[in-house]
Amino acid sequence: MDKYNIILLGPPGAGKGTHAEALKREFGVEHISTGDMLRAAVAEGTELGRQAKQYMDAGKLVPDEVVIGIVRERLSANRLDRALFDGFPRTPAQAEALEEVAVEVLLPAAVVIYLQVSDEEVVLRLSGRLQCRKCGAIYNTRYDQLESGSQCPSCQGEIYQRDDDQAEAILQRLRVYREQTAPLIDYYRKRGQLVEVQAEGSTIEAISAEVAAAVRGAAG
Ligand code: AMP
């Protein structure tokens, strides 16, 4: 397959952003993270950012029509050969919209990778998660000698903790995931598009290798 799209599905903290980096390097996919796009809009203070911020800070989903709109815009702005969706779709309505847009821009679905992680692990990961404001690199206080305010080891940008990685918002995001996003697991399984990967209990490299093998298997 020359042109295709890949979807990374899983709860917050499953490692979608981390594995997306490895897939970008190996398959040359364009990483489309709706969370990153929305955070950029918030940082720039655009109208979209102002609308989205209240939902994001509360750990709720930004309304479907807003998110579908930014994905549609991104896909029609320049023709991509390979897209990797991270954090999108998050509701059945978004999944249906993606199917429509994918047909329009000629990016057939290759595979949906479901990163499986327990709730306990999600809470541990997110409460220690740190991110670089400049390059977006993800770190964790469990493994890295860094804290909010440190300098990013790779670009010297500022390391910070996301507002929605505070305890209360984490639990809310897990609830939202279970109610609105988890139904997509069955949706894609029924279509024969789902590959499940156990995304905890081994090293990031070992999990990334499994994710890459699933993409190779589906995209050829
Ligand atoms: P993420 O970085 O993917 O964890 O997204 C952070 C926050 O952005 C989420 O908790 C939502 O408030 C919002 N968001 C990101 N992607 C979507 C989406 N596909 N649909 C609705 N809201 C989203």
Side-chain angles (χ1 to χ4, degrees), residues 129-159:
R129 179 161 77 174
L130 297 169
Q131 192 165 8
C132 172
R133 262 190 219 287
K134 197 166 155 204
C135 72
I138 296 162
Y139 301 98
N140 198 294
T141 50
R142 271 204 288 176
Y143 311 111
D144 306 298
Q145 298 293 320
L146 295 169
E147 55 186 19
S148 188
S150 300
Q151 269 197 347
C152 173
S154 77
C155 81
Q156 273 71 55
E158 186 204 352
I159 301 282

PDB file of all heavy atoms in Angstrom, residues 129-159:
ATOM      1  N   ARG A 129       3.608  12.474  34.129  1.00  0.00           N
ATOM      2  CA  ARG A 129       3.980  12.872  32.761  1.00  0.00           C
ATOM      3  C   ARG A 129       4.391  14.336  32.678  1.00  0.00           C
ATOM      4  O   ARG A 129       3.768  15.210  33.250  1.00  0.00           O
ATOM      5  CB  ARG A 129       2.800  12.626  31.824  1.00  0.00           C
ATOM      6  CG  ARG A 129       3.098  13.039  30.383  1.00  0.00           C
ATOM      7  CD  ARG A 129       2.169  12.393  29.432  1.00  0.00           C
ATOM      8  NE  ARG A 129       0.844  13.008  29.418  1.00  0.00           N
ATOM      9  CZ  ARG A 129      -0.104  12.668  28.562  1.00  0.00           C
ATOM     10  NH1 ARG A 129       0.109  11.713  27.681  1.00  0.00           N
ATOM     11  NH2 ARG A 129      -1.284  13.252  28.605  1.00  0.00           N
ATOM     12  N   LEU A 130       5.442  14.584  31.923  1.00  0.00           N
ATOM     13  CA  LEU A 130       5.919  15.944  31.657  1.00  0.00           C
ATOM     14  C   LEU A 130       6.078  16.089  30.155  1.00  0.00           C
ATOM     15  O   LEU A 130       6.326  15.104  29.454  1.00  0.00           O
ATOM     16  CB  LEU A 130       7.287  16.173  32.326  1.00  0.00           C
ATOM     17  CG  LEU A 130       7.334  16.094  33.860  1.00  0.00           C
ATOM     18  CD1 LEU A 130       8.773  16.079  34.345  1.00  0.00           C
ATOM     19  CD2 LEU A 130       6.578  17.265  34.485  1.00  0.00           C
ATOM     20  N   GLN A 131       5.940  17.312  29.668  1.00  0.00           N
ATOM     21  CA  GLN A 131       6.091  17.512  28.223  1.00  0.00           C
ATOM     22  C   GLN A 131       6.895  18.771  27.969  1.00  0.00           C
ATOM     23  O   GLN A 131       6.901  19.696  28.778  1.00  0.00           O
ATOM     24  CB  GLN A 131       4.695  17.623  27.574  1.00  0.00           C
ATOM     25  CG  GLN A 131       4.748  17.537  26.059  1.00  0.00           C
ATOM     26  CD  GLN A 131       3.378  17.279  25.432  1.00  0.00           C
ATOM     27  OE1 GLN A 131       2.364  17.304  26.114  1.00  0.00           O
ATOM     28  NE2 GLN A 131       3.355  17.038  24.138  1.00  0.00           N
ATOM     29  N   CYS A 132       7.601  18.796  26.833  1.00  0.00           N
ATOM     30  CA  CYS A 132       8.361  19.993  26.468  1.00  0.00           C
ATOM     31  C   CYS A 132       7.439  20.937  25.687  1.00  0.00           C
ATOM     32  O   CYS A 132       6.774  20.512  24.749  1.00  0.00           O
ATOM     33  CB  CYS A 132       9.565  19.618  25.608  1.00  0.00           C
ATOM     34  SG  CYS A 132      10.383  21.083  24.948  1.00  0.00           S
ATOM     35  N   ARG A 133       7.430  22.201  26.112  1.00  0.00           N
ATOM     36  CA  ARG A 133       6.585  23.184  25.431  1.00  0.00           C
ATOM     37  C   ARG A 133       7.039  23.433  24.014  1.00  0.00           C
ATOM     38  O   ARG A 133       6.261  23.812  23.151  1.00  0.00           O
ATOM     39  CB  ARG A 133       6.688  24.533  26.162  1.00  0.00           C
ATOM     40  CG  ARG A 133       5.571  24.764  27.105  1.00  0.00           C
ATOM     41  CD  ARG A 133       5.577  26.186  27.614  1.00  0.00           C
ATOM     42  NE  ARG A 133       5.224  26.216  29.022  1.00  0.00           N
ATOM     43  CZ  ARG A 133       4.004  26.007  29.474  1.00  0.00           C
ATOM     44  NH1 ARG A 133       3.015  25.802  28.643  1.00  0.00           N
ATOM     45  NH2 ARG A 133       3.760  26.011  30.769  1.00  0.00           N
ATOM     46  N   LYS A 134       8.350  23.242  23.773  1.00  0.00           N
ATOM     47  CA  LYS A 134       8.903  23.630  22.470  1.00  0.00           C
ATOM     48  C   LYS A 134       8.823  22.479  21.460  1.00  0.00           C
ATOM     49  O   LYS A 134       8.256  22.639  20.391  1.00  0.00           O
ATOM     50  CB  LYS A 134      10.356  24.063  22.682  1.00  0.00           C
ATOM     51  CG  LYS A 134      10.939  24.859  21.548  1.00  0.00           C
ATOM     52  CD  LYS A 134      12.233  25.520  21.989  1.00  0.00           C
ATOM     53  CE  LYS A 134      13.130  25.801  20.811  1.00  0.00           C
ATOM     54  NZ  LYS A 134      14.531  25.882  21.238  1.00  0.00           N
ATOM     55  N   CYS A 135       9.362  21.292  21.813  1.00  0.00           N
ATOM     56  CA  CYS A 135       9.413  20.220  20.804  1.00  0.00           C
ATOM     57  C   CYS A 135       8.359  19.138  21.045  1.00  0.00           C
ATOM     58  O   CYS A 135       8.217  18.226  20.242  1.00  0.00           O
ATOM     59  CB  CYS A 135      10.816  19.598  20.731  1.00  0.00           C
ATOM     60  SG  CYS A 135      11.231  18.576  22.154  1.00  0.00           S
ATOM     61  N   GLY A 136       7.632  19.216  22.160  1.00  0.00           N
ATOM     62  CA  GLY A 136       6.546  18.255  22.398  1.00  0.00           C
ATOM     63  C   GLY A 136       7.021  16.916  22.950  1.00  0.00           C
ATOM     64  O   GLY A 136       6.202  16.020  23.184  1.00  0.00           O
ATOM     65  N   ALA A 137       8.341  16.746  23.190  1.00  0.00           N
ATOM     66  CA  ALA A 137       8.855  15.472  23.711  1.00  0.00           C
ATOM     67  C   ALA A 137       8.165  15.156  25.043  1.00  0.00           C
ATOM     68  O   ALA A 137       7.841  16.058  25.819  1.00  0.00           O
ATOM     69  CB  ALA A 137      10.362  15.555  23.912  1.00  0.00           C
ATOM     70  N   ILE A 138       7.938  13.844  25.275  1.00  0.00           N
ATOM     71  CA  ILE A 138       7.226  13.413  26.476  1.00  0.00           C
ATOM     72  C   ILE A 138       8.208  12.717  27.426  1.00  0.00           C
ATOM     73  O   ILE A 138       8.996  11.871  26.998  1.00  0.00           O
ATOM     74  CB  ILE A 138       6.075  12.457  26.081  1.00  0.00           C
ATOM     75  CG1 ILE A 138       5.058  13.216  25.215  1.00  0.00           C
ATOM     76  CG2 ILE A 138       5.388  11.890  27.323  1.00  0.00           C
ATOM     77  CD1 ILE A 138       4.140  12.321  24.426  1.00  0.00           C
ATOM     78  N   TYR A 139       8.140  13.085  28.698  1.00  0.00           N
ATOM     79  CA  TYR A 139       9.005  12.473  29.712  1.00  0.00           C
ATOM     80  C   TYR A 139       8.131  12.016  30.869  1.00  0.00           C
ATOM     81  O   TYR A 139       6.928  12.287  30.898  1.00  0.00           O
ATOM     82  CB  TYR A 139      10.035  13.501  30.219  1.00  0.00           C
ATOM     83  CG  TYR A 139      10.919  14.047  29.119  1.00  0.00           C
ATOM     84  CD1 TYR A 139      10.636  15.276  28.526  1.00  0.00           C
ATOM     85  CD2 TYR A 139      12.018  13.321  28.677  1.00  0.00           C
ATOM     86  CE1 TYR A 139      11.438  15.776  27.509  1.00  0.00           C
ATOM     87  CE2 TYR A 139      12.825  13.821  27.656  1.00  0.00           C
ATOM     88  CZ  TYR A 139      12.530  15.043  27.082  1.00  0.00           C
ATOM     89  OH  TYR A 139      13.314  15.526  26.072  1.00  0.00           O
ATOM     90  N   ASN A 140       8.757  11.304  31.835  1.00  0.00           N
ATOM     91  CA  ASN A 140       7.998  10.906  33.017  1.00  0.00           C
ATOM     92  C   ASN A 140       8.899  10.952  34.240  1.00  0.00           C
ATOM     93  O   ASN A 140      10.046  10.494  34.173  1.00  0.00           O
ATOM     94  CB  ASN A 140       7.422   9.493  32.831  1.00  0.00           C
ATOM     95  CG  ASN A 140       6.288   9.239  33.813  1.00  0.00           C
ATOM     96  OD1 ASN A 140       6.482   9.175  35.021  1.00  0.00           O
ATOM     97  ND2 ASN A 140       5.078   9.150  33.286  1.00  0.00           N
ATOM     98  N   THR A 141       8.352  11.519  35.321  1.00  0.00           N
ATOM     99  CA  THR A 141       9.165  11.656  36.540  1.00  0.00           C
ATOM    100  C   THR A 141       9.587  10.281  37.072  1.00  0.00           C
ATOM    101  O   THR A 141      10.528  10.182  37.837  1.00  0.00           O
ATOM    102  CB  THR A 141       8.377  12.387  37.658  1.00  0.00           C
ATOM    103  OG1 THR A 141       7.109  11.755  37.795  1.00  0.00           O
ATOM    104  CG2 THR A 141       8.142  13.847  37.306  1.00  0.00           C
ATOM    105  N   ARG A 142       8.885   9.221  36.643  1.00  0.00           N
ATOM    106  CA  ARG A 142       9.259   7.875  37.094  1.00  0.00           C
ATOM    107  C   ARG A 142      10.594   7.416  36.503  1.00  0.00           C
ATOM    108  O   ARG A 142      11.295   6.603  37.061  1.00  0.00           O
ATOM    109  CB  ARG A 142       8.185   6.856  36.671  1.00  0.00           C
ATOM    110  CG  ARG A 142       7.078   6.701  37.688  1.00  0.00           C
ATOM    111  CD  ARG A 142       6.399   5.353  37.561  1.00  0.00           C
ATOM    112  NE  ARG A 142       5.577   5.247  36.367  1.00  0.00           N
ATOM    113  CZ  ARG A 142       4.947   4.138  35.998  1.00  0.00           C
ATOM    114  NH1 ARG A 142       5.063   3.033  36.698  1.00  0.00           N
ATOM    115  NH2 ARG A 142       4.205   4.126  34.908  1.00  0.00           N
ATOM    116  N   TYR A 143      10.885   7.886  35.290  1.00  0.00           N
ATOM    117  CA  TYR A 143      12.088   7.390  34.596  1.00  0.00           C
ATOM    118  C   TYR A 143      13.125   8.477  34.353  1.00  0.00           C
ATOM    119  O   TYR A 143      14.293   8.187  34.128  1.00  0.00           O
ATOM    120  CB  TYR A 143      11.719   6.793  33.219  1.00  0.00           C
ATOM    121  CG  TYR A 143      10.586   5.824  33.290  1.00  0.00           C
ATOM    122  CD1 TYR A 143       9.345   6.133  32.742  1.00  0.00           C
ATOM    123  CD2 TYR A 143      10.754   4.596  33.930  1.00  0.00           C
ATOM    124  CE1 TYR A 143       8.285   5.247  32.829  1.00  0.00           C
ATOM    125  CE2 TYR A 143       9.706   3.701  34.026  1.00  0.00           C
ATOM    126  CZ  TYR A 143       8.473   4.032  33.472  1.00  0.00           C
ATOM    127  OH  TYR A 143       7.437   3.163  33.568  1.00  0.00           O
ATOM    128  N   ASP A 144      12.680   9.736  34.298  1.00  0.00           N
ATOM    129  CA  ASP A 144      13.597  10.811  33.924  1.00  0.00           C
ATOM    130  C   ASP A 144      13.830  11.720  35.123  1.00  0.00           C
ATOM    131  O   ASP A 144      12.906  11.996  35.868  1.00  0.00           O
ATOM    132  CB  ASP A 144      12.997  11.619  32.757  1.00  0.00           C
ATOM    133  CG  ASP A 144      12.624  10.732  31.583  1.00  0.00           C
ATOM    134  OD1 ASP A 144      13.525  10.095  31.028  1.00  0.00           O
ATOM    135  OD2 ASP A 144      11.425  10.646  31.237  1.00  0.00           O
ATOM    136  N   GLN A 145      15.064  12.182  35.270  1.00  0.00           N
ATOM    137  CA  GLN A 145      15.392  13.078  36.388  1.00  0.00           C
ATOM    138  C   GLN A 145      14.969  14.501  36.015  1.00  0.00           C
ATOM    139  O   GLN A 145      15.812  15.378  35.843  1.00  0.00           O
ATOM    140  CB  GLN A 145      16.905  13.044  36.653  1.00  0.00           C
ATOM    141  CG  GLN A 145      17.439  11.685  37.063  1.00  0.00           C
ATOM    142  CD  GLN A 145      16.910  11.266  38.432  1.00  0.00           C
ATOM    143  OE1 GLN A 145      16.813  12.080  39.332  1.00  0.00           O
ATOM    144  NE2 GLN A 145      16.532   9.994  38.562  1.00  0.00           N
ATOM    145  N   LEU A 146      13.688  14.705  35.821  1.00  0.00           N
ATOM    146  CA  LEU A 146      13.193  16.011  35.381  1.00  0.00           C
ATOM    147  C   LEU A 146      11.973  16.389  36.215  1.00  0.00           C
ATOM    148  O   LEU A 146      11.306  15.515  36.772  1.00  0.00           O
ATOM    149  CB  LEU A 146      12.753  15.936  33.905  1.00  0.00           C
ATOM    150  CG  LEU A 146      13.834  15.665  32.866  1.00  0.00           C
ATOM    151  CD1 LEU A 146      13.188  15.363  31.527  1.00  0.00           C
ATOM    152  CD2 LEU A 146      14.780  16.849  32.744  1.00  0.00           C
ATOM    153  N   GLU A 147      11.708  17.688  36.275  1.00  0.00           N
ATOM    154  CA  GLU A 147      10.481  18.142  36.937  1.00  0.00           C
ATOM    155  C   GLU A 147       9.943  19.332  36.161  1.00  0.00           C
ATOM    156  O   GLU A 147      10.622  19.843  35.256  1.00  0.00           O
ATOM    157  CB  GLU A 147      10.762  18.523  38.391  1.00  0.00           C
ATOM    158  CG  GLU A 147      11.860  19.551  38.515  1.00  0.00           C
ATOM    159  CD  GLU A 147      12.255  19.842  39.957  1.00  0.00           C
ATOM    160  OE1 GLU A 147      11.951  19.035  40.840  1.00  0.00           O
ATOM    161  OE2 GLU A 147      12.854  20.902  40.165  1.00  0.00           O
ATOM    162  N   SER A 148       8.727  19.765  36.526  1.00  0.00           N
ATOM    163  CA  SER A 148       8.152  20.917  35.853  1.00  0.00           C
ATOM    164  C   SER A 148       9.111  22.093  36.025  1.00  0.00           C
ATOM    165  O   SER A 148       9.587  22.347  37.128  1.00  0.00           O
ATOM    166  CB  SER A 148       6.792  21.219  36.498  1.00  0.00           C
ATOM    167  OG  SER A 148       6.142  22.191  35.758  1.00  0.00           O
ATOM    168  N   GLY A 149       9.452  22.775  34.927  1.00  0.00           N
ATOM    169  CA  GLY A 149      10.401  23.893  34.992  1.00  0.00           C
ATOM    170  C   GLY A 149      11.800  23.511  34.539  1.00  0.00           C
ATOM    171  O   GLY A 149      12.632  24.384  34.277  1.00  0.00           O
ATOM    172  N   SER A 150      12.094  22.170  34.427  1.00  0.00           N
ATOM    173  CA  SER A 150      13.418  21.738  33.938  1.00  0.00           C
ATOM    174  C   SER A 150      13.566  22.106  32.466  1.00  0.00           C
ATOM    175  O   SER A 150      12.586  22.455  31.794  1.00  0.00           O
ATOM    176  CB  SER A 150      13.569  20.213  34.024  1.00  0.00           C
ATOM    177  OG  SER A 150      13.432  19.732  35.322  1.00  0.00           O
ATOM    178  N   GLN A 151      14.811  21.960  31.962  1.00  0.00           N
ATOM    179  CA  GLN A 151      15.069  22.193  30.531  1.00  0.00           C
ATOM    180  C   GLN A 151      14.972  20.877  29.781  1.00  0.00           C
ATOM    181  O   GLN A 151      15.445  19.844  30.265  1.00  0.00           O
ATOM    182  CB  GLN A 151      16.492  22.721  30.362  1.00  0.00           C
ATOM    183  CG  GLN A 151      16.570  24.222  30.403  1.00  0.00           C
ATOM    184  CD  GLN A 151      17.894  24.713  29.836  1.00  0.00           C
ATOM    185  OE1 GLN A 151      18.823  23.943  29.632  1.00  0.00           O
ATOM    186  NE2 GLN A 151      17.972  26.007  29.581  1.00  0.00           N
ATOM    187  N   CYS A 152      14.384  20.912  28.590  1.00  0.00           N
ATOM    188  CA  CYS A 152      14.262  19.699  27.780  1.00  0.00           C
ATOM    189  C   CYS A 152      15.657  19.210  27.369  1.00  0.00           C
ATOM    190  O   CYS A 152      16.426  19.985  26.801  1.00  0.00           O
ATOM    191  CB  CYS A 152      13.424  19.999  26.543  1.00  0.00           C
ATOM    192  SG  CYS A 152      13.363  18.639  25.372  1.00  0.00           S
ATOM    193  N   PRO A 153      15.992  17.921  27.643  1.00  0.00           N
ATOM    194  CA  PRO A 153      17.318  17.416  27.288  1.00  0.00           C
ATOM    195  C   PRO A 153      17.574  17.455  25.779  1.00  0.00           C
ATOM    196  O   PRO A 153      18.717  17.510  25.349  1.00  0.00           O
ATOM    197  CB  PRO A 153      17.307  15.966  27.774  1.00  0.00           C
ATOM    198  CG  PRO A 153      16.181  15.884  28.743  1.00  0.00           C
ATOM    199  CD  PRO A 153      15.185  16.929  28.347  1.00  0.00           C
ATOM    200  N   SER A 154      16.507  17.440  24.960  1.00  0.00           N
ATOM    201  CA  SER A 154      16.803  17.401  23.528  1.00  0.00           C
ATOM    202  C   SER A 154      16.764  18.774  22.862  1.00  0.00           C
ATOM    203  O   SER A 154      17.503  19.006  21.917  1.00  0.00           O
ATOM    204  CB  SER A 154      15.923  16.375  22.798  1.00  0.00           C
ATOM    205  OG  SER A 154      14.653  16.861  22.616  1.00  0.00           O
ATOM    206  N   CYS A 155      15.952  19.733  23.365  1.00  0.00           N
ATOM    207  CA  CYS A 155      15.911  21.027  22.659  1.00  0.00           C
ATOM    208  C   CYS A 155      16.071  22.228  23.589  1.00  0.00           C
ATOM    209  O   CYS A 155      15.973  23.372  23.146  1.00  0.00           O
ATOM    210  CB  CYS A 155      14.622  21.145  21.845  1.00  0.00           C
ATOM    211  SG  CYS A 155      13.208  21.654  22.850  1.00  0.00           S
ATOM    212  N   GLN A 156      16.267  21.963  24.890  1.00  0.00           N
ATOM    213  CA  GLN A 156      16.426  23.038  25.886  1.00  0.00           C
ATOM    214  C   GLN A 156      15.143  23.852  26.139  1.00  0.00           C
ATOM    215  O   GLN A 156      15.185  24.882  26.799  1.00  0.00           O
ATOM    216  CB  GLN A 156      17.565  24.022  25.509  1.00  0.00           C
ATOM    217  CG  GLN A 156      18.950  23.584  25.995  1.00  0.00           C
ATOM    218  CD  GLN A 156      19.449  22.384  25.215  1.00  0.00           C
ATOM    219  OE1 GLN A 156      19.511  22.447  23.999  1.00  0.00           O
ATOM    220  NE2 GLN A 156      19.761  21.305  25.894  1.00  0.00           N
ATOM    221  N   GLY A 157      14.018  23.392  25.560  1.00  0.00           N
ATOM    222  CA  GLY A 157      12.745  24.080  25.811  1.00  0.00           C
ATOM    223  C   GLY A 157      12.309  23.860  27.260  1.00  0.00           C
ATOM    224  O   GLY A 157      12.948  23.126  28.014  1.00  0.00           O
ATOM    225  N   GLU A 158      11.177  24.490  27.620  1.00  0.00           N
ATOM    226  CA  GLU A 158      10.705  24.373  29.003  1.00  0.00           C
ATOM    227  C   GLU A 158       9.836  23.129  29.190  1.00  0.00           C
ATOM    228  O   GLU A 158       8.907  22.875  28.422  1.00  0.00           O
ATOM    229  CB  GLU A 158       9.884  25.627  29.354  1.00  0.00           C
ATOM    230  CG  GLU A 158       9.466  25.658  30.812  1.00  0.00           C
ATOM    231  CD  GLU A 158       8.220  26.522  31.064  1.00  0.00           C
ATOM    232  OE1 GLU A 158       7.774  27.219  30.139  1.00  0.00           O
ATOM    233  OE2 GLU A 158       7.689  26.440  32.185  1.00  0.00           O
ATOM    234  N   ILE A 159      10.148  22.372  30.233  1.00  0.00           N
ATOM    235  CA  ILE A 159       9.362  21.180  30.568  1.00  0.00           C
ATOM    236  C   ILE A 159       8.217  21.613  31.490  1.00  0.00           C
ATOM    237  O   ILE A 159       8.431  22.377  32.421  1.00  0.00           O
ATOM    238  CB  ILE A 159      10.243  20.181  31.357  1.00  0.00           C
ATOM    239  CG1 ILE A 159      11.468  19.755  30.544  1.00  0.00           C
ATOM    240  CG2 ILE A 159       9.451  18.992  31.843  1.00  0.00           C
ATOM    241  CD1 ILE A 159      11.183  18.750  29.503  1.00  0.00           C
TER     242      ILE A 159
END
